[in-house]
Amino acid sequence: MHTSPQDAPVIMVSGANRGIGAAIVRDLLRHGYRLSLGARDVAKLEAQFGTPGDMLRYHHFDAFEPETAKQWVDETVAHFGRIDGLVNNAGSGEQVLLTDDNEEALDRLWAVNVKAPLRLTRLCLPHLEETGRGRIVNIVSMSGKRVRNGFVGYNMTKFAVMGLTHTTRHVAWEKGVRATAICPSFVRTEMSSYTSKVKPEDMIQPETMAELVRTAIELPNNAAMAEMLVNCRLEDML
């Protein structure tokens, strides 16, 4: 728990208005972090978390509007004076099959799941490096480690975010930045509501994901976790 608000680390979280993102916000607030939240609809953030204040700021962020990423980062630095961590949580589960001829849907998946996290990483890196212990947590998926369905668009983009995570680790390690990919199986959110493979109560809970995100942020530089693979059913992780 951070006792002094002025010294509390500043974490940016995308896709913060529901599901995993909302759970991350509540957990970090409870542990004294200052947060800068990005979402397409800022009003939904205020409805979810209340009036912004010293510990909490809201910003418009749209993966399809690149300029909103820079505005969000610039406004965060202008208000808080620093950025200690970035949680790339926003994602799309739009379904594109191997046999689908739908370039537009595929482009949307790449824009949300890959290009937006890359853009935010690039913009935040100088600020994260200044702290000497900056953190980037990418919420990926087990679909970025193995394939168990025919959703080729989703699977391809999640494998790509794994490439982004490991490239970030390689490039930014010497500056004290640590990047972690958290790869859950089914999480009890709206995105997993399509499946009947796992009962909702047997899925990973968003609150558990939030605890793992905070763990990645709080681990020291000499004990970084590159990947966290999170199962709710038995899988071979070889």
Side-chain angles (χ1 to χ4, degrees):
M1 183 75 70
H2 302 281
T3 55
S4 174
Q6 294 79 15
D7 298 328
V10 176
I11 311 295
M12 294 177 57
V13 184
S14 69
N17 61 298
R18 61 180 182 173
I20 295 172
I24 292 169
V25 171
R26 292 192 179 94
D27 184 83
L28 290 177
L29 280 177
R30 193 162 55 247
H31 287 84
Y33 286 85
R34 293 182 289 174
L35 301 182
S36 176
L37 309 184
R40 296 176 74 176
D41 189 345
V42 174
K44 289 184 178 179
L45 291 174
E46 188 154 356
Q48 186 78 249
F49 305 113
T51 305
D54 293 340
M55 304 296 290
L56 191 59
R57 307 297 293 183
Y58 306 139
H59 302 275
H60 173 63
F61 169 67
D62 190 329
F64 300 112
E65 301 173 9
E67 67 277 5
T68 63
K70 186 175 188 308
Q71 290 168 359
W72 180 19
V73 172
D74 289 348
E75 289 169 3
T76 299
V77 174
H79 180 79
F80 290 114
R82 59 194 283 182
I83 299 173
D84 297 87
L86 166 66
V87 180
N88 282 309
N89 168 72
S92 169
E94 189 168 0
Q95 297 177 2
V96 177
L97 301 175
L98 189 64
T99 52
D100 290 343
D101 183 15
N102 192 339
E103 294 286 338
E104 291 80 10
L106 194 58
D107 287 345
R108 288 193 294 271
L109 277 167
W110 280 96
V112 176
N113 290 354
V114 184
K115 294 180 71 175
L118 169 58
R119 188 176 300 120
L120 284 170
T121 296
R122 188 169 55 236
L123 291 166
C124 287
L125 263 184
H127 305 288
L128 296 172
E129 290 173 350
E130 280 184 21
T131 71
R133 52 161 290 116
R135 295 291 181 266
I136 297 175
V137 181
N138 294 325
I139 305 300
V140 190
S141 169
M142 284 301 298
S143 292
K145 293 294 293 182
R146 50 81 176 131
V147 173
R148 295 186 67 170
N149 58 51
F151 304 140
V152 67
Y154 185 78
N155 297 336
M156 288 170 63
T157 58
K158 291 303 182 179
F159 268 79
V161 179
M162 295 301 289
L164 167 61
T165 305
H166 285 286
T167 303
T168 304
R169 293 182 71 244
H170 179 77
V171 169
W173 183 275
E174 293 301 324
K175 296 290 185 68
V177 178
R178 301 292 180 261
T180 300
I182 301 184
C183 304
S185 181
F186 293 113
V187 182
R188 190 174 184 173
T189 65
E190 185 180 323
M191 190 176 286
S192 294
S193 62
Y194 75 92
T195 188
S196 58
K197 294 178 181 178
V198 181
K199 296 177 183 177
E201 61 269 23
D202 293 331
M203 294 181 179
I204 302 159
Q205 301 303 303
E207 293 76 19
T208 305
M209 288 292 296
E211 291 180 22
L212 293 174
V213 168
R214 182 164 47 81
T215 297
I217 291 170
E218 294 179 349
L219 284 172
N221 279 9
N222 58 2
M225 292 189 70
E227 301 176 5
M228 296 184 186
L229 311 186
V230 191
N231 298 123
C232 61
R233 53 182 179 167
L234 182 61
E235 297 190 49
D236 291 331
M237 293 288 96
L238 301 178

